[in-house]
Amino acid sequence: MSPSRAIRYGRDTATGPDLERHTMPTLVRLLTVLALVAGLVVAAMAALIHFVEPRQGTIVQSVPLEGLGRQPIRQRPIGPVPD
């Protein structure tokens, strides 16, 4: 294995222990990547909060009772019933 290839893959077989401290361990690399991804997610959420303005409004959606297998309920008047 050539010295440049040994250093690139984290194995320091060619030049001794001096270059071993310059390689990044796998756990640190994983934690670094996870921290960067978490930072990107937080930055995206902050950008959405800052740049997107919500629209206020009422949404009404009627659901047909025939598809649910139930009979419609007769509406009773609210309040006192006249005699």
Side-chain angles (χ1 to χ4, degrees):
M1 187 179 287
S2 69
S4 63
R5 178 170 260 166
I7 293 170
R8 189 177 342 159
Y9 290 123
R11 290 185 229 105
D12 191 19
T13 58
T15 58
D18 289 339
L19 291 177
E20 225 175 87
R21 61 186 163 175
H22 296 293
T23 60
M24 185 182 293
T26 306
L27 179 61
V28 174
R29 189 177 309 148
L30 173 69
L31 293 176
T32 303
V33 169
L34 290 177
L36 288 174
V37 169
L40 288 174
V41 168
V42 169
M45 289 191 313
L48 282 173
I49 290 170
H50 184 69
F51 292 116
V52 175
E53 191 66 35
R55 291 182 290 179
Q56 298 277 333
T58 304
I59 299 173
V60 177
Q61 181 72 36
S62 61
V63 178
L65 292 177
E66 295 82 29
L68 298 175
R70 300 176 78 186
Q71 296 296 324
I73 300 172
R74 289 189 312 169
Q75 292 185 353
R76 296 181 215 145
I78 298 175
V81 179
D83 290 326

